[in-house]
Amino acid sequence: MISLRAIWAVFRFEWSRSLSAPRLIFGAALALFPLVIVILVQGQEAHLEREGFAAVALFALVPQIVTILSLLLWVTPIVHAELEGQTWIYLAMRPAGKTGAVVGKYLAAVAWTLIVDFVALTAAIAYIRPEEDAFRDWFVLAGLTVLACLAYGSLYALLGVIFLRRAMVAAVGYTFLSEFVLTWLPANVHQITVQYHLRALGLKAKGWDSLPSHIHFDERLLFSAAPAWQHIAALLTFAVALLALAVLVLGQRELVRAEQAS
């Protein structure tokens, strides 16, 4: 059962809670992280304004690192936080309470992460001032960031529902093994990762058929013959399917007092 009213109520509550001082401080730190890294790299006389360097660096920093860190913290404890606060039983007893909790928390975390990402992206690009079209780079990376937030957020929501007390460990382990190990294996299995589709979209948006001569890498792991819309559809399907699965799994679970107390 889906109730837009319940989803909106949870979203508003989570959003107001995200405006607390600790969360704002952490959000500001995440937003400044890419800029600090860019400044340090520039300090080593690296030329980020060269073709491709800025885009590659910002892709790794914003749609990947900042997005993943933010969603790990805000989405992964999607159920465990309620169990610890002993508020889960009140949500579970309300009509559409479980669905509202999962979807509302997911949307609030995605919205919060997108704000942090956009601030980080804007600050870093303003500092680098690449010779290419800066607005085009911002637009492309912002689009990739939206897709990354939707896909990674639904994945962490599902892991949070399945593992409960060990959700953070499971999410970190999956992210490392899948998004930072499996995605670089020279086999078709890397195509099931979120990062593969994001990389392919980014390269197509840049208009690259091959890497610039000063970037040395195995192009078979980067380029895809599939059109951009297929990668977008894959990421959106990934997000919707995993979020729906999270709602379904949670709807079938009976969280007893022993779990709430642990």
Side-chain angles (χ1 to χ4, degrees):
M1 179 179 180
I2 298 177
S3 170
L4 295 179
R5 183 175 180 181
I7 293 172
W8 174 243
V10 173
F11 176 87
R12 284 195 307 170
F13 175 76
E14 289 297 319
W15 182 260
S16 63
R17 192 163 65 172
S18 68
L19 299 179
S20 63
R23 293 198 181 192
L24 289 174
I25 292 172
F26 184 78
L30 277 179
L32 291 175
F33 174 72
L35 178 60
V36 171
I37 296 299
V38 165
I39 292 174
L40 292 176
V41 171
Q42 289 282 55
Q44 298 298 320
E45 298 184 355
H47 300 290
L48 287 176
E49 69 275 5
R50 289 180 60 185
E51 181 186 1
F53 272 27
V56 171
L58 291 178
F59 173 82
L61 289 170
V62 181
Q64 293 292 289
I65 295 177
V66 173
T67 297
I68 288 174
L69 287 177
S70 180
L71 292 173
L72 277 173
L73 289 172
W74 307 137
V75 178
T76 305
I78 200 165
V79 176
H80 185 256
E82 302 299 333
L83 294 175
E84 287 292 311
Q86 298 184 2
T87 57
W88 175 252
I89 189 172
Y90 300 104
L91 285 172
M93 291 178 62
R94 296 179 63 86
K98 293 181 179 180
T99 301
V102 172
V103 179
K105 283 173 172 284
Y106 165 80
L107 293 176
V110 167
W112 174 249
T113 300
L114 283 175
I115 291 175
V116 172
D117 283 339
F118 289 164
V119 172
L121 188 59
T122 302
I125 286 184
Y127 176 81
I128 296 173
R129 295 192 299 275
E131 294 179 359
E132 302 175 45
D133 187 351
F135 178 77
R136 176 179 173 79
D137 283 348
W138 187 95
F139 183 79
V140 169
L141 289 168
L144 294 178
T145 298
V146 172
L147 292 172
C149 283
L150 294 174
Y152 283 124
S154 63
L155 170 63
Y156 294 152
L158 177 60
L159 293 176
V161 166
I162 293 175
F163 292 98
L164 295 180
R165 290 171 294 172
R166 297 177 179 83
M168 184 68 72
V169 175
V172 171
Y174 173 87
T175 302
F176 175 76
L177 291 176
S178 178
E179 299 298 320
F180 295 105
V181 175
L182 184 64
T183 190
W184 297 113
L185 294 180
N188 290 336
V189 68
H190 72 276
Q191 297 182 15
I192 66 173
T193 64
V194 174
Q195 189 177 146
Y196 165 76
H197 296 286
L198 293 175
R199 286 199 311 262
L201 281 171
L203 292 169
K204 288 180 182 296
K206 292 290 290 183
W208 288 355
D209 296 321
S210 61
L211 293 175
S213 59
H214 54 272
I215 299 180
H216 305 285
F217 203 82
D218 186 352
E219 295 186 357
R220 293 174 299 176
L221 299 177
L222 299 176
F223 293 94
S224 169
W229 71 264
Q230 289 188 11
H231 294 287
I232 296 174
L235 290 170
L236 293 178
T237 301
F238 189 80
V240 173
L242 290 187
L243 186 62
L245 185 57
V247 171
L248 180 63
V249 170
L250 187 59
Q252 300 301 314
R253 296 196 68 168
E254 293 294 337
L255 303 182
V256 297
R257 291 185 179 274
E259 287 181 291
Q260 295 178 350
S262 59

